[in-house]
Amino acid sequence: MPSEWPMLSYDRWRETCDTLHAHTQLLGKLAVALAPPEPQLQHAALRLTARGWETAPLPAPDGSGALVVVLDLRTHDAVVEHSGGGVRRIALTPDRPVGEVTREILDAVRALGGAVAIDPTPQEVPWSVPLDQDDEHTRYDPAQVASYFAAATRAALVLAAFRAPYRGRSTPVNAWWGSFDLAVNLFSGLPADPPSDDFIMRNAMDAQEVAIGWWPGDARYGRAAFYAYAHPAPEGFASATLSPTAARWDAALGEYILDWDDIRANPNPHAAGLEFARSAFSHASAVCDWDPALAASAEGTPPPVV
């Protein structure tokens, strides 16, 4: 079993990370195709559960019930389940191309729930080969996936604890298949102009928000880390000193960062992650001029119900 707070270096598991990321993209594409649309593209989000990455229950295309598609990171299978009891398993073995796994998952979905079509073009990644034709990404190391899953689970528990007392609108801990991160978004209740006319930006970022998240690193930033940003971010947003002391502003990313290695070095990693989330949100809500009572609820002492 990996450590509960394992070391996680993107450079060391890059090939497996990219393969797993590609597999999550298929789950996200199925959610986009089948789930009823929600504000901020919430219908497209996945969840990190005790099994791995999962879709929410999705309407079966043939009207026969609900489908759930899972990347089971304990048994290392992709699983397609129907609410009527049907189950199909597709092995995630070390040398199976993403394209082969994609085609088998889609066949299982169609066999259990009816015809479905997706856009197989990957999103927010440096490669462009369609998922169902991807023979490039084949590496899948179960031990590396287990370490990632242990780290992601710990990060998700931090994010869930941070979000829990907030009295405004917020998201659950979402698993985002485009950027391969976990995040919670807290909203002030006010609208905001999207940062661009890009499809994702204009649909996902049309409300004032603060996002706190975690990701396992990528080609831009080769270390796992917690992050925080605000939208829209006013002048002076980047000038805060957050806690713990290892937290810092990363100008290239445009986010506050707390590296995973600094979390692991803390005597209480969960408390350190929670401290970062609360510190970042306190700063963001203050400089963005949010309702003080609403912002204070995220500290863990929400106002009484009247």
Side-chain angles (χ1 to χ4, degrees):
M1 291 291 291
S3 164
E4 290 183 339
W5 296 83
M7 181 178 68
L8 198 65
S9 167
Y10 174 72
D11 289 338
R12 294 189 179 188
W13 80 299
R14 175 191 300 262
E15 292 182 344
T16 293
C17 180
D18 290 352
T19 298
L20 181 60
H21 188 177
H23 289 325
T24 70
Q25 295 247 324
L26 176 57
L27 271 62
K29 299 284 189 175
L30 287 165
V32 168
L34 298 176
E38 298 181 35
Q40 282 80 52
L41 301 179
Q42 287 298 298
H43 64 290
L46 306 175
R47 302 285 181 267
L48 189 79
T49 72
R51 289 194 293 181
W53 282 61
E54 298 193 24
T55 70
L58 304 172
D62 62 6
S64 60
L67 293 168
V68 171
V69 188
V70 184
L71 296 177
D72 192 323
L73 304 187
R74 298 178 306 180
T75 64
H76 305 290
D77 294 310
V79 187
V80 181
E81 300 175 339
H82 191 282
S83 57
V87 178
R88 299 286 180 94
R89 287 186 172 270
I90 297 94
L92 302 175
T93 55
D95 297 305
R96 295 196 72 192
V98 163
E100 181 179 311
V101 173
T102 295
R103 294 190 295 271
E104 288 198 29
I105 292 174
L106 289 174
D107 286 346
V109 169
R110 290 162 182 151
L112 293 177
V116 64
I118 65 163
D119 175 0
T121 307
Q123 293 176 232
E124 300 179 69
V125 292
W127 60 89
S128 59
V129 177
L131 296 170
D132 57 355
Q133 301 174 32
D134 186 346
D135 294 328
E136 172 187 350
H137 296 99
T138 61
R139 180 65 176 162
Y140 184 96
D141 184 316
Q144 292 177 336
V145 171
S147 290
Y148 158 77
F149 188 31
T153 297
R154 288 293 166 177
L157 292 173
V158 169
L159 296 174
F162 162 67
R163 168 194 174 271
Y166 184 64
R167 297 296 290 264
R169 184 168 73 90
S170 63
T171 70
V173 180
N174 286 325
W176 288 110
W177 47 275
S179 45
F180 200 49
D181 61 331
L182 308 176
V184 293
N185 300 71
L186 278 54
F187 299 95
S188 71
L190 297 176
D193 293 329
S196 77
D197 196 44
D198 169 82
F199 175 84
I200 293 176
M201 293 296 101
R202 72 173 186 267
N203 284 281
M205 303 190 73
D206 61 353
Q208 190 179 48
E209 65 177 282
V210 175
I212 311 291
W214 176 89
W215 85 111
D218 55 28
R220 301 172 305 152
Y221 194 85
R223 301 186 296 280
F226 282 94
Y227 67 82
Y229 68 81
H231 170 69
E235 185 177 351
F237 177 71
S239 61
T241 299
L242 302 186
S243 58
T245 55
R248 58 187 173 78
W249 174 259
D250 188 293
L253 295 175
E255 299 170 341
Y256 285 100
I257 294 295
L258 178 61
D259 283 334
W260 184 247
D261 286 345
D262 292 317
I263 287 277
R264 294 179 66 242
N266 192 286
N268 188 336
H270 181 89
L274 194 55
E275 181 181 354
F276 170 75
R278 288 177 172 166
S279 176
F281 180 70
S282 177
H283 164 64
S285 59
V287 299
C288 294
D289 198 28
W290 286 27
D291 178 343
L294 187 64
S297 70
E299 294 295 322
T301 53
V305 177
V306 295

